[in-house]
């Protein structure tokens, strides 16, 4: 039964390897990708339901007991994120069928895509710090392949920077693992948590904690370390940007959430206070970036940053309510970022430009696209019927309860500015004088709206069906506040 | 012994960071190689440099060196090897396509 925990990693990995061999038959590759993303989604949903009914599944690789072997821990938090990842994979695969040029499809796009999903799922599920590093590298290597795929001038230029910053932070990650190993003598997360608790997180451990935080903050694009993100995320084709924007930074956030709710929780007044300041600056600077540009894709890419800031604020406040808000917002943000990238990609495909000043009047001939974008914009800003509202509400409620009024103010102002930045696309791109050439007026969306519709249905469901989803999320948050649940599940005496 | 190795790793880190901040792509890649050497050296040092037999079970040996850091390093070496080779090919392509290996000239706002 516990072998189920490996399936979310194994299925995409095997599919990816298989796709490398049959790469020549393009139709077959698409059919297999199309089937496998659905199979994956079904399998992880099933595992998710098992986990929610019977508690975490812990797989000890090779039957070595917990601290000695590698463990794969499928707990509720990891499964929620894996299910969301696979949902985005379904939408991305179908968007790729409709939007990607033949050249890119021929050079192993679908294989790299499956390996990326395998890496992301692995990073969510692993229970071992060095194994987390390896899964980071799996997903990063796949993302390096994807970001240069096609080899345009701009992609080559921006991918150099992307790879260099990620290589540097990976080296820092290895160094930090070495430090941690020298202090506590283990790399298993549950045992790390036990041993850090035994020595009550002395000074050296807090230093290591902050180093580890800087590694994940670079991956997750927090305030002083986000400079690499916007341009490198807007260089590759839309479907790749969407995958990156939805999945990669969120792995960084998840790692911070896991490490700082399980292992380093004994100097809250220092570490978590520090997170709140970082979160505030991240929200403000990200939103200023989003307001500063007229490139539609760059606006969405900049909007990734304040969202990460909101999640960090929740982790910084560290109460059950705020953590529930963070998890809700994390799931919502993965879905909505993918949807927004798809929508601006479709806008750009129709009007032939990413420049907002050259667009206008799209709504007259493409009303469905327009109203879908409107819904996505409202969901992003966090208006009540949609999913963004509940996450933000819980987050800010948690912050008020713990008397962090500063971050509440920053969060509310940030939300307003996010709405301004995204509605700017709607006002200038969809309203205004029509600037479409006659053939562009008749241009169809080419089936690209189906994957977006799938994602938007889920944002609406997450918002309207909050009664249904909330108890589960609250349960996860409660178990995050008490790390002994995780430790007891992994290390059985 | 650990102190000596720590100083050496520190030297590798500082040289690596200095090289990362250069303008030429090739120097930057040499910087990343130096940094990963520093990191690997640090892992072996952090596992304590006790004297003992190599970690292969053999008769008559009672004390072995710590096998875990060696496994970690081996993993990390092949990963950084893969990334470095990718980066070298990418630098070559970027040089061909953009016509420069100067990072200062590899910027721009001409978006699409």
């Amino acid at each position: 039964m516990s072998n189920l925990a490996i399936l979310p990693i194994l299925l995409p990995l095997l599919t990816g390897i298989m796709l490398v061999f049959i790469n020549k038959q393009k139709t077959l590759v698409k059919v297999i990708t199309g089937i496998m993303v659905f199979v994956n989604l079904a399998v992880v949903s099933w595992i998710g339901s098992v986990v929610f009914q019977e508690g975490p599944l812990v797989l000890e690789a090779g039957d070595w007991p917990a601290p000695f072997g590698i463990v794969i821990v499928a707990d509720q938090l990891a499964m929620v994120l894996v299910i969301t990842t696979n949902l985005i994979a379904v939408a991305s695969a179908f968007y790729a069928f409709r939007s990607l040029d033949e050249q890119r499809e021929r050079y192993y796009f679908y294989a790299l895509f499956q390996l990326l999903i395998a890496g992301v799922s692995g990073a969510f599920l692993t229970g071992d710090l060095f194994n987390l590093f390896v899964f980071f590298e799996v997903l990063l290597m796949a993302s390096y392949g994807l970001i240069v795929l096609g080899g345009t001038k701009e992609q080559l230029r921006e991918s150099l920077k992307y790879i260099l910053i990620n290589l540097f932070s990976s080296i820092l990650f290895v160094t930090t693992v070495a430090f941690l190993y020298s202090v506590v003598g283990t790399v298993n997360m549950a045992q790390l948590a036990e041993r850090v608790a035994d020595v009550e997180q002395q000074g050296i451990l807090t230093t290591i904690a902050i180093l580890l935080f800087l590694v994940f903050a670079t991956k997750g694009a927090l305030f002083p370390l986000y400079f690499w993100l916007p341009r490198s995320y807007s260089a590759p084709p839309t479907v790749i940007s969407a995958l990156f924007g939805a999945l990669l930074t969120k792995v960084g956030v998840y790692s911070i959430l896991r490490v700082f709710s399980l292992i380093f929780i004994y100097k809250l007044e220092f570490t978590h206070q520090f997170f709140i300041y970082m979160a505030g600056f991240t929200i403000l600077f990200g939103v200023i970036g989003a307001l500063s540009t007229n490139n539609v894709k760059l606006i969405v890419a900049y909007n990734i940053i304040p969202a990460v800031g909101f999640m960090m604020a929740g982790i910084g406040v560290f109460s059950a309510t705020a953590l529930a808000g963070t998890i809700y917002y994390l799931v919502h943000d993965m879905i909505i970022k993918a949807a927004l990238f798809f929508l601006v990609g479709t806008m750009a495909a129709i009007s032939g430009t990413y420049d907002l000043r050259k667009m206008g009047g799209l709504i007259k001939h493409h009303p469905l696209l327009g109203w879908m974008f409107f819904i996505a914009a409202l969901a992003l800003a966090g208006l009540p019927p949609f999913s963004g509202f509940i996450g933000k509400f819980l987050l800010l409620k948690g912050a008020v309860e713990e008397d962090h009024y500063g971050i509440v103010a920053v969060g509310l102002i940030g939300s307003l500015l996010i709405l301004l930045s995204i509605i700017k696309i709607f006002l200038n791109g969809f309203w205004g004088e029509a600037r479409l050439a006659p053939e562009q007026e008749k241009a169809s969306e080419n089936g690209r709206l189906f994957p977006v519709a799938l994602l938007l249905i889920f944002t609406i469901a997450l918002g309207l069906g909050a009664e249904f989803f909330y108890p589960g999320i609250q349960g996860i948050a409660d178990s995050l506040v008490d790390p002994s649940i995780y430790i007891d599940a992994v290390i059985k005496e | 012994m650990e102190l000596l190795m720590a100083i050496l790793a520190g030297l590798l880190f500082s040289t690596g960071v200095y090289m990362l901040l250069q303008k030429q792509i090739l120097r930057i890649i040499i910087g990343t190689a130096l940094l990963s050497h520093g990191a690997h050296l640090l892992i072996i040092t952090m596992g304590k440099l006790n004297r003992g037999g190599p970690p292969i079970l053999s008769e008559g040996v009672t004390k072995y060196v710590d096998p875990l850091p060696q496994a970690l390093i081996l993993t990390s070496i092949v990963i950084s090897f893969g990334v470095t080779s990718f980066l070298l090919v990418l630098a070559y392509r970027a040089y061909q396509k953009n016509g420069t290996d100067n990072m200062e000239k590899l910027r721009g706002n001409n978006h699409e």
Side-chain angles (χ1 to χ4, degrees):
Chain A
M1 192 65 180
S2 68
N3 280 345
L4 281 180
I6 195 85
L7 282 180
I9 308 169
L10 207 58
L11 283 175
L13 187 68
L14 292 179
T15 319
I17 293 169
M18 188 167 68
L19 291 181
V20 172
F21 289 109
I22 54 161
N23 188 48
K24 288 264 159 55
Q25 288 110 305
K26 268 178 279 171
T27 343
L28 190 61
V29 167
K30 283 190 190 179
V31 169
I32 290 180
T33 312
I35 294 171
M36 281 315 285
V37 285
F38 277 116
V39 171
N40 258 331
L41 185 62
V43 168
V44 297
S45 310
W46 175 51
I47 300 171
S49 72
V50 170
V51 167
F52 268 97
Q53 278 159 19
E54 297 171 17
L57 290 171
V58 179
L59 169 64
E60 293 165 338
D63 227 6
W64 291 92
F68 306 113
I70 286 172
V71 283
I72 303 285
V73 186
D75 66 344
Q76 285 91 336
L77 172 62
M79 282 325 293
V80 165
L81 294 175
V82 169
I83 292 169
T84 318
T85 304
N86 278 288
L87 190 67
I88 289 160
V90 171
S92 308
F94 282 88
Y95 195 84
F97 296 156
R98 290 301 185 164
S99 71
L100 214 58
D101 50 305
E102 201 176 314
Q103 193 72 5
R104 287 194 168 91
E105 285 184 334
R106 208 151 53 104
Y107 286 100
Y108 304 98
F109 169 81
Y110 295 107
L112 286 170
F113 165 71
Q114 293 285 351
L115 294 179
L116 183 80
I117 300 298
V120 172
S121 305
F124 286 143
L125 288 170
T126 185
D128 179 294
L129 210 54
F130 194 77
N131 202 227
L132 179 65
F133 162 73
V134 175
F135 276 119
F136 261 117
E137 289 303 308
V138 172
L139 72 93
L140 284 174
M141 280 304 275
S143 78
Y144 299 159
L146 288 172
I147 199 172
V148 289
L149 197 65
T152 62
K153 257 187 178 179
E154 194 196 358
Q155 274 179 301
L156 286 169
R157 196 179 66 202
E158 298 304 331
S159 60
L160 260 178
K161 297 162 195 172
Y162 173 76
I163 295 174
L164 282 171
I165 189 77
N166 275 307
L167 185 54
F168 183 79
S169 74
S170 295
I171 292 171
L172 197 62
F173 195 176
V174 178
T175 318
T176 316
V177 172
F179 283 138
L180 204 51
Y181 178 67
S182 80
V183 177
V184 290
T186 179
V187 286
N188 180 292
M189 287 194 209
Q191 205 186 13
L192 266 174
E194 269 186 337
R195 291 196 176 170
V196 171
D198 284 345
V199 295
E200 287 171 337
Q201 198 179 339
Q202 296 158 353
I204 183 78
L205 281 168
T206 308
T207 314
I208 294 170
I210 293 296
L211 260 178
L212 206 53
F213 170 71
L214 289 181
V215 172
F216 296 141
T218 315
K219 313 258 185 211
L222 274 157
F223 155 57
L225 305 164
Y226 68 80
F227 51 86
W228 55 273
L229 182 137
R231 292 216 179 270
S232 54
Y233 273 26
S234 54
T238 309
V239 59
I240 299 173
S241 302
L243 275 171
F244 285 15
L247 302 179
L248 297 195
T249 51
K250 308 311 180 282
V251 181
V253 175
Y254 165 78
S255 308
I256 295 175
L257 180 58
R258 182 62 91 196
V259 167
F260 286 92
S261 68
L262 180 65
I263 304 172
F264 302 111
I265 44 167
Y266 301 96
K267 289 280 184 290
L268 288 181
E269 72 282 1
F270 178 70
T271 48
H272 289 59
Q273 195 68 37
F274 174 59
F275 294 169
I276 293 181
Y277 283 106
M278 294 275 278
F281 283 116
T282 310
I283 293 171
L284 286 180
F285 279 82
V287 113
I288 290 171
L291 288 169
S292 71
T293 174
N294 275 314
N295 181 315
V296 283
K297 208 169 177 187
L298 212 52
I299 293 177
V300 179
Y302 265 116
N303 261 313
I304 297 170
I305 298 164
V308 173
F310 275 109
M311 295 165 212
M312 275 315 295
I315 301 172
V317 171
F318 203 66
S319 66
T321 322
L323 284 176
T326 302
I327 299 162
Y328 220 103
Y329 198 74
L330 188 58
V331 173
H332 145 80
D333 194 61
M334 287 167 86
I335 292 175
I336 202 73
K337 283 289 138 62
L340 274 173
F341 269 113
F342 291 156
L343 285 165
V344 295
T346 312
M347 278 173 75
I350 289 169
S351 56
T353 174
Y354 283 101
D355 193 338
L356 202 52
R357 284 164 299 191
K358 292 178 188 152
M359 290 180 192
L362 273 170
I363 197 113
K364 195 171 170 207
H365 296 279
H366 302 279
L368 191 58
L369 176 69
W371 293 117
M372 275 173 140
F373 188 87
F374 187 65
I375 291 174
L378 294 188
L380 179 80
L383 262 78
F386 307 110
S387 60
F389 170 72
I390 294 147
K392 249 178 214 170
F393 171 71
L394 287 171
L395 242 164
L396 298 179
K397 184 172 162 235
V400 169
E401 281 167 4
E402 302 285 317
D403 292 335
H404 294 290
Y405 295 108
I407 194 71
V408 176
V410 170
L412 290 175
I413 295 168
S415 305
L416 200 63
L417 295 177
I418 288 172
L419 182 64
L420 182 62
S421 75
I422 203 76
I423 217 74
K424 188 170 99 174
I425 300 181
F426 187 70
L427 288 182
N428 293 332
F430 288 101
W431 296 138
E433 53 178 314
R435 293 193 181 180
L436 294 178
E439 72 273 12
Q440 287 172 330
E441 284 176 0
K442 290 187 200 76
S444 79
E445 286 91 359
N446 198 11
R448 293 176 190 204
L449 289 182
F450 291 113
V452 188
L454 174 78
L455 292 175
L456 286 182
I457 286 169
F458 271 89
T459 32
I460 295 169
L462 267 179
L464 292 181
E467 290 270 304
F468 176 72
F469 293 103
Y470 179 69
I473 303 269
Q474 188 61 52
I476 298 172
D478 289 337
S479 70
L480 279 179
V481 182
D482 180 13
S484 64
I485 298 171
Y486 183 95
I487 297 170
D488 290 341
V490 175
I491 300 179
K492 303 171 190 93
E493 309 289 353
Chain B
M1 193 60 189
E2 276 93 350
L3 183 67
L4 217 59
M5 293 287 265
I7 293 171
L8 183 59
L11 275 176
L12 280 170
F13 274 122
S14 45
T15 330
V17 169
Y18 178 74
M19 292 298 263
L20 267 190
L21 299 174
Q22 301 286 304
K23 285 176 192 164
Q24 232 183 333
I25 294 179
L26 211 54
R27 287 178 191 238
I28 295 173
I29 298 174
I30 291 173
T32 60
L34 288 176
L35 277 177
S36 57
H37 286 326
H40 300 153
L41 202 62
L42 197 77
I43 303 177
I44 204 92
T45 316
M46 286 293 134
K48 297 243 171 59
L49 299 168
N50 296 328
R51 286 187 176 276
I56 303 165
L57 277 181
S58 47
E59 280 179 45
V61 184
T62 49
K63 203 168 168 243
Y64 296 96
V65 295
D66 192 350
L68 187 80
Q70 301 194 9
L72 300 189
I73 291 173
L74 200 57
T75 317
S76 177
I77 284 175
V78 288
I79 289 174
S80 64
F81 193 71
V83 179
T84 307
S85 48
F86 185 87
L87 193 55
L88 280 166
V89 176
L90 180 69
Y92 181 62
R93 273 299 301 277
Y95 170 69
Q96 278 185 326
K97 196 114 184 179
N98 292 309
T100 177
D101 69 338
N102 189 332
M103 283 307 257
E104 289 271 290
K105 288 179 186 153
L106 281 177
R107 52 183 182 187
N109 291 320
N110 51 330
H111 223 73
E112 305 289 318

